[in-house]
Amino acid sequence: MLSVSEAQSIVLANARTLSAVQLPVTHALLGQVLAEDVVSDVDMPPFDKSLMDGFAVRSADLPEGKATLSVIEEITAGQMPTRSLAQGQATRIMTGAPLPRGADAVVMIERTQFLANSQIQVEDKPARAGQNIMARGREIRRGETVLTSGTELRPQDLGILATVGRTTVRIVPRPRVAILSTGDEIVDSPEQPGPGRIRNGNGAMLQAQVARPGGIPDYLGIARDRVESLRPLVEKGLQADMLVLSGGVSAGKLDLVPGVLQDLGVQAHFHKVELKPGKPVLFGAKEKTLVFGLPGNPVSALVCFELFVRPAIRRLAGHTKVQPSLVDAVLVENFVYNTDRPTYYPAWLEWEGKDYRVRPVPWFGSPDLRALTQANAFIVIAAGQHELPAGRIVTVMKTEDETI
Ligand code: AMP
Ligand code: MG
């Protein structure tokens, strides 16, 4: 049977970054990957500007930092100065306003006192040319590349796109991911499920898992365990960049997903991985559409998504770091566990100043989604019999980058 890392390699070997498109620049591009180098059409700042509220001065007038100066004008941000400074003169200036000609320094308002007759008394350290000024083009020169292709757009990058006047940009689109739940027993209903029925936890969970790394979920509903029900919905899902099914991939009598996929021309790349929970996971492709058949048990579905689907979404979306994050963590309690397959065990991970600490959470196996509401990570445990004492360093897969 394939190992997890072999299976991940197969997925990534089949996952190609989507072709770039031209899109309007809005906050909705947050997290998407730039597909061009972006060049500035302006100097930033476009003029020598004051970094302080105070007085624009000639540093030559303040060799000792003390002088009485005449104030000839007041400039607020957005205005242009009309008068050049001569010896012994100053201009009142606000943060962000352009410096008048003749000035080469700004003295903070706090270092001055108003006198009568539009005069000020400066009491400061010796003035230095350039103090409290940002020179034109210091931040960005016109024609300079400010963002490079491959950048994952963060708020500051969106700010720079606006600064350099971009209204549209070439970007890797978000992958569209169709989601299909399967099973005669599954209901999408707030009503109490009838006898033998359960509600569709996976549909909601998988949509959120798609959205988190930047995919666009397209929920197709529930297919029943009949070819006539499954086939048209799978056909619809094959129009997307990716189709993620849950249920129907194991060895049960009504596990019809592999057969239907095959009939519809999906080439299976693997079916079963040496893994717990999630062994029956299936991966295939039809033309550009990647297809994942996740086991129906919710914890299996979530783990398989993190291990195989999320990296594929990240790759299609153009990211370079796509694999789940693994960290070393100190086990905080004794943990005894026997397993015949490499296991992803739900756990709570915390950063404790200088290292990660991890605690397994109570867990009753692959149907027990409730356990994951108390977990934010998985301890990765090799096959075998383990008596892990508190203090042992273990490998942990993080599933919530932002919160830990
Ligand atoms: P299957 O993989 O279809 O054999 O399903 C395995 C187990 O997962 C069964 O107990 C199913 O009832 C359960 N299951 C399947 N689909 C879902 C779903 N969408 N939400 C919650 N549980 C599910
Ligand atoms: Mg089923």
Side-chain angles (χ1 to χ4, degrees), residues 92-310:
R92 176 106 159 87
I93 195 164
M94 308 321 146
T95 305
L99 236 62
R101 255 210 297 273
D104 66 354
V106 170
V107 173
M108 289 166 70
I109 187 97
E110 292 85 348
R111 305 277 184 270
T112 64
Q113 277 188 347
F114 288 98
L115 306 174
N117 306 325
S118 298
Q119 291 203 309
I120 53 162
Q121 178 68 41
V122 180
E123 296 233 11
D124 199 3
K125 292 195 293 276
R128 188 175 43 74
Q131 79 180 22
N132 299 327
I133 292 170
M134 191 160 189
R136 173 177 181 161
R138 184 73 207 259
E139 176 190 349
I140 303 170
R141 290 222 165 269
R142 182 176 172 184
E144 196 182 332
T145 299
V146 286
L147 293 171
T148 52
S149 182
T151 299
E152 177 175 332
L153 293 177
R154 300 163 301 161
Q156 56 267 49
D157 304 319
L158 290 162
I160 286 292
L161 285 173
T163 301
V164 304
R166 294 300 296 263
T167 53
T168 69
V169 76
R170 278 186 74 71
I171 200 98
V172 182
R174 297 185 186 278
R176 299 192 161 271
V177 183
I179 295 162
L180 181 56
S181 300
T182 75
D184 284 339
E185 75 282 30
I186 309 302
V187 293
D188 250 339
S189 160
E191 307 289 309
Q192 283 271 334
R197 303 292 179 96
I198 59 167
R199 295 197 184 101
N200 181 11
N202 291 350
M205 180 178 79
L206 292 169
Q207 289 179 73
Q209 278 188 291
V210 166
R212 186 146 66 172
I216 301 174
D218 180 12
Y219 176 60
L220 303 184
I222 301 169
R224 299 302 167 199
D225 292 324
R226 275 175 285 115
V227 172
E228 316 83 80
S229 171
L230 195 53
R231 194 180 158 106
L233 288 166
V234 170
E235 270 183 304
K236 188 166 176 212
L238 289 173
Q239 309 297 312
D241 297 313
M242 225 182 259
L243 167 60
V244 176
L245 300 108
S246 84
V249 287
S250 315
K253 203 173 156 197
L254 292 180
D255 288 333
L256 306 175
V257 168
V260 166
L261 292 177
Q262 192 181 11
D263 284 353
L264 289 172
V266 174
Q267 189 197 344
H269 290 294
F270 62 74
H271 186 186
K272 286 191 183 39
V273 175
E274 187 78 9
L275 161 70
K276 194 176 183 171
K279 174 170 129 182
V281 61
L282 177 154
F283 168 65
K286 181 177 183 187
E287 288 146 27
K288 284 186 181 159
T289 305
L290 304 182
V291 182
F292 295 87
L294 308 183
N297 271 313
V299 181
S300 313
L302 184 139
V303 167
C304 288
F305 190 104
E306 292 295 321
L307 289 174
F308 308 116
V309 186
R310 188 178 192 278

